[in-house]
Every structure is written in structure tokens, then in C-alpha cells.
Amino acid sequence: MPFVTGADLTDFRVSRDHARSFLTPKGLRSGTTVVCKPGDLLLATRTRVGLAGIATDVMGASQDITRLVANGRVRSDYLCRALMKTAHSLQKMSRGTTIQGITRGDVEALPILLPPLPEQRAIAAVLDGIDEAIERTDAVIAATERLRDSLLHDLLTRGVPGWHTEWKEAPGIGTIPTDWAVVRLGDVCSPPQYGAAAAARDHDPSLPRYVRITDLTDDGHLRPDDARSAAPREVTGFELLPGDLLFARSGATVGKTYMYQAEDGPCVFAGYLIRFQSHREQADPRFLSLWTHSLAYWKWVASMFRAGAQPNINAAEYASMPIPRPPLHEQRTIAETLRALDKSIEAGKRQCELLAASKTSAADALLTGQVRLP
């Protein structure tokens, strides 16, 4: 049987899927744990004070949680929304030396605005509708991401569907179409360049961003700027150009890559990064960037680690990396196909952000009575 703690109250509706711990049925009925039934309201009153949710299954609850059962004057779904809105106030009431929390008396004394039951139902329906829209959008994003991951593998090893009928085995790469060449990264790029060896300055909008290895994310993007992210004024010759591909060469980030795009704003790259610029008539930089997110690429990275040494891959080693080279028009087709899916994912995430913002605005207006519903 699921056993939930305050840390498990991550969604409005709390099911057995949210639980990280479980009890036997006998343990649940032992009398030493609170038994929650579907529809009971779960409020975190210790450690994660203010988190709330509604149980959808029979479950046990830890001492972090206070179980609330709505009486005939209030609906559980409305009360849960109202409590979630007061989370900040509840957190400010927390006290304790080792474990921060609030008492049942604090909860009982908490003032709640209580509209008539029909209006409670209407308010809950509006906010539920926005939640459902967010869940549907999240599901579409997840499905599109799975499709992209599957297509990334297929396009980089089998080529564009319908374009090929024969394949060959390429050592270190896998199965590829017979008309694809196998080259070294250095064969299709200008000589690699190490980044600037200078310390970052405090953030300054008038200076280019100073891209360091810690700025590279797993999915090939840049992390948000931090307090020390500006390039020193004396650093020249390291300005990034659209299509430049950066490789992390040392430490925990070794193997991560980032392809610079103009929309990221002016950037300069720092030491522990290596720049490769592709010969555009031979290799589309977008295709090269995609290859650095393939399973074959990461197997190659792992093969370069030396036992007992800190992970490190130098410029010459990166230049020697084998890569497939489809005809240029196929490289572009592969890149554009995956970019279309990336745009769909980005649009879905923006939609989720807009829905979340509208939910916050609607909750503020409806739960304070600024807007009344029939």
C-alpha cells in the first residue's frame, strides 16, 4: 500500500504513483499510521509545509502530513486550492529547531474564504480545466520528445526513410547507408581552437557572454547566465560565429557539446572548450551537432577515457573521431526534420508556461472573490 510523505505532494491529485515508500495492508491497518481514503485532503505540516493534494487511492501518510476531511460546507477540491494559495503564509508560521512545522491548532485557526457550494464547484472546475490542459500539453511534449529521440537514432544510422535500400557496417559508428562516407571530424572542419585562458568578469550587459564548460547542458544548450558570466575586455579572437561547435575537453562535462546560434547573443568561449568550424560545402554544422548526441558518439567518448586519469579529450583526439558523412542535401534534410520537432517541443513548453501563468492569475482572482462565478 502506498505511504506518502510531504515530499510526495508534488501534484494536485496524489496517487500511488507518487509514493516512494510502501506498506503491507497489515502495516496500514496497524494503527500507527494515518489511513487516507480517496478524496481526503493531505496537507504537509512538517518539513515541506504548505504542500497540499487530494488522495486518489487508499494510502498511509507520514507524520509530515495532516489529513483533512471536508464536511458538508466545503468541497475538498476547493479547500485544497485555497490551502495551496496560503502556502507562503503557512511556511512563515513554521517553527522548530531541528524540524520546522506548524501545529494542528495553526491549521484549524487558518482563515479561509468560503463561497457557496455551487461557486466552489465552479471555481474548482475552472482550475481543473486549466490543469487538464497543462497535463494534455505535457503529454504531447513527452510523446514528441520520444519521437525525436527515436528519429535521431534512425536518421543518423539508417538515413532518411525511403532514400536507401542497402547498408554497410562502419567500425565505431554502426550500420549506415552504403552511399554514406566515413570521415574524421578534422577532415570536414578547420583546425580546432582552444578557448581563452582568462577569468570571467561580473555580469555586464555591454560585454559578450563568456561561455565555459559549466554552461553546457546535456541537451546542447546554454545554462542561464550567472553572476560571473561576462568575457574579459582583453579577450579577442575567441568570438563565436553561427554554427561553431564547442566540445568540453575535461572533467565531468567532457564530451558535452554546444552549437552557437546568433539568437544566443554575442559570446566568447573560454578554456577547457574546443571550437570546430565545419567546411559548409562538406558538413552541415547542424548535422555534426546532432551526431554529438547519438549513442555512437557517447560510446566513442567513453572509449577515450584513460584508467585512473581525469576524463580528458584533447583537440587532436576530437579531430580524429570517426563520423558518418551523408550527401550534403541529406544532412540538411535530417537536420531540418529534427529541428521541426524541436520547434514543436519548444512551442509546447511555451504553451505550458502560458497555461501555468493563466492558472496563477485565475486562482488569485477566483479564490479571493475578485471574480465571481455563477
Side-chain angles (χ1 to χ4, degrees):
M1 307 297 290
F3 180 76
V4 296
T5 68
D8 298 323
L9 304 184
T10 54
D11 289 313
F12 180 70
R13 288 179 174 80
V14 183
S15 70
R16 65 179 294 108
D17 294 335
H18 291 80
R20 295 171 297 166
S21 303
F22 294 85
L23 297 169
T24 63
K26 182 179 179 181
L28 189 67
R29 297 191 300 268
S30 65
T32 59
T33 185
V34 174
V35 179
C36 303
K37 299 177 181 178
D40 288 355
L41 197 155
L42 312 176
L43 176 66
T45 48
R46 290 200 325 176
T47 66
R48 302 294 181 98
V49 173
L51 295 181
I54 295 177
T56 62
D57 300 297
V58 175
M59 59 184 63
S62 76
Q63 294 181 347
D64 296 344
I65 292 175
T66 296
R67 178 179 67 107
L68 302 174
V69 181
N71 62 22
R73 296 180 59 200
V74 66
R75 292 173 56 92
S76 291
D77 49 7
Y78 171 82
L79 181 57
C80 187
R81 301 282 189 190
L83 285 173
M84 292 168 77
K85 182 169 174 54
T86 65
H88 183 65
S89 299
L90 291 173
Q91 290 162 6
K92 290 198 297 185
M93 294 164 57
S94 294
R95 50 193 175 272
T97 53
T98 56
I99 299 179
Q100 295 283 313
I102 58 176
T103 67
R104 290 185 179 181
D106 294 329
V107 177
E108 291 173 342
L110 190 68
I112 295 292
L113 292 175
L114 198 65
L117 279 169
E119 190 169 359
Q120 293 179 36
R121 184 182 301 110
I123 290 171
V126 168
L127 298 178
D128 279 351
I130 300 175
D131 274 345
E132 289 169 5
I134 293 173
E135 289 171 6
R136 286 195 301 270
T137 307
D138 278 337
V140 171
I141 292 171
T144 309
E145 288 176 334
R146 290 193 297 272
L147 173 62
R148 187 198 182 280
D149 290 343
S150 176
L151 273 179
L152 175 66
H153 173 75
D154 289 345
L155 290 171
L156 292 177
T157 57
R158 308 288 293 178
V160 176
W163 287 23
H164 306 280
T165 57
E166 296 181 355
W167 289 266
K168 64 184 178 183
E169 285 298 317
I173 294 177
T175 304
I176 61 174
T178 54
D179 64 337
W180 286 17
V182 176
V183 298
R184 305 291 175 181
L185 180 64
D187 296 336
V188 294
C189 294
S190 302
Q193 178 187 15
Y194 286 98
R201 295 171 56 98
D202 290 342
H203 179 74
D204 183 342
S206 69
L207 295 174
R209 176 170 180 172
Y210 202 33
V211 179
R212 296 154 293 171
I213 56 172
T214 52
D215 294 328
L216 273 56
T217 65
D218 291 341
D219 58 355
H221 293 92
L222 293 181
R223 299 186 190 283
D225 283 356
D226 58 28
R228 294 188 61 80
S229 61
R233 293 186 186 278
E234 65 272 14
V235 171
T236 59
F238 299 93
E239 296 80 9
L240 289 175
L241 302 174
D244 283 0
L245 191 58
L246 298 181
F247 289 79
R249 67 180 178 93
S250 184
T253 61
V254 68
K256 287 186 179 180
T257 63
Y258 158 65
M259 190 188 76
Y260 174 70
Q261 302 176 79
E263 51 262 38
D264 289 337
C267 289
V268 170
F269 71 107
Y272 296 104
L273 289 170
I274 305 170
R275 167 162 62 184
F276 281 83
Q277 295 176 315
S278 69
H279 299 310
R280 300 297 182 97
E281 72 281 2
Q282 298 183 54
D284 189 304
R286 299 172 299 170
F287 178 82
L288 296 181
S289 177
L290 289 169
W291 178 253
T292 65
H293 295 279
S294 69
L295 180 60
Y297 168 76
W298 282 104
K299 285 183 177 179
W300 177 85
V301 169
S303 73
M304 301 302 292
F305 293 168
R306 290 168 279 279
Q310 178 176 336
N312 183 80
I313 302 177
N314 61 37
E317 290 168 331
Y318 273 124
S320 71
M321 177 178 63
I323 60 171
R325 191 185 68 181
L328 193 57
H329 70 284
E330 188 168 8
Q331 293 181 40
R332 291 169 177 162
T333 299
I334 291 171
E336 288 162 6
T337 299
L338 292 168
R339 180 55 186 153
L341 289 174
D342 285 338
K343 287 183 177 179
S344 177
I345 293 167
E346 291 165 5
K349 290 179 178 178
R350 286 195 298 270
Q351 179 69 12
C352 274
E353 292 171 359
L354 291 171
L355 286 167
S358 74
K359 175 185 169 183
T360 299
S361 299
D364 286 343
L366 296 174
L367 295 172
T368 59
Q370 297 176 45
V371 173
R372 303 297 300 273
L373 293 178

